[in-house]
Amino acid sequence: MRTNTTNSSKKTITPRTKRSRAQKSSKRPSLLLNLLGSCVVIALVAFGIKYAIDHTMNYNPLLGKWRAQTVLGIMEIEFDRSSMSSFGTKNPVTYDVSENKVIVIDDTIKIGNTYKIVDENTISTESGGFKTIYKRVK
């Protein structure tokens, strides 16, 4: 008996189907991720530019907390962009910054005090004939 076998290979052709909805929406998260990444980069660049401007054009060496040891005890003052805190009070101030000194003008009483810059961690001021030396608090 003879068996008839044929070597015919049938190719199965499957029709192309449209992309499913899941495949189409897979591109959206990457778009949102790109937008989020772009926003983060823009924010970092903006803060970098602000930091560079503040430390070159608007540089104020007094900003921060300072402490002095006097005969009356320890005195602390703190300067920020628009105010000065000392003896438990916070007053609005403006600054006149020059190379080796900063004049701090109290906006409420319109009186200024000059602070000499000794180095980046030391300042001094004179008041009533007494010189007070402040050290930066780390």
Side-chain angles (χ1 to χ4, degrees):
M1 262 207 232
R2 200 169 171 195
T3 313
N4 225 355
T5 57
T6 52
N7 279 344
S8 65
S9 60
K10 288 185 176 178
K11 288 187 180 178
T12 310
I13 299 173
T14 55
R16 286 186 145 188
T17 58
K18 293 183 180 179
R19 289 185 184 172
S20 68
R21 190 176 285 270
Q23 288 175 336
K24 283 185 179 179
S25 65
S26 68
K27 291 197 177 213
R28 285 227 169 127
S30 65
L31 176 65
L32 291 175
L33 191 60
N34 285 340
L35 286 174
L36 180 64
S38 298
C39 289
V40 168
V41 168
I42 289 170
L44 290 174
V45 168
F47 283 120
I49 290 171
K50 182 186 180 317
Y51 180 82
I53 289 172
D54 282 348
H55 281 67
T56 54
M57 290 186 230
N58 300 331
Y59 181 67
N60 186 346
L62 286 187
L63 297 182
K65 194 172 192 178
W66 301 85
R67 183 177 296 146
Q69 178 69 41
T70 66
V71 292
L72 301 174
I74 296 175
M75 294 176 35
E76 286 190 354
I77 55 176
E78 187 170 359
F79 300 98
D80 62 23
R81 289 271 171 225
S82 61
S83 65
M84 172 185 162
S85 302
S86 63
F87 301 111
T89 62
K90 189 171 188 173
N91 297 327
V93 296
T94 54
Y95 300 99
D96 182 14
V97 181
S98 65
E99 191 172 321
N100 62 350
K101 67 180 177 178
V102 178
I103 301 172
V104 180
I105 302 167
D106 188 326
D107 291 340
T108 56
I109 57 175
K110 303 294 184 208
I111 294 177
N113 192 13
T114 301
Y115 292 87
K116 293 181 182 174
I117 309 300
V118 178
D119 60 38
E120 66 180 29
N121 294 316
T122 310
I123 59 173
S124 68
T125 186
E126 286 190 39
S127 180
F130 294 101
K131 184 175 184 176
T132 306
I133 297 174
Y134 292 89
K135 295 287 185 180
R136 186 179 298 275
V137 178
K138 302 270 180 186

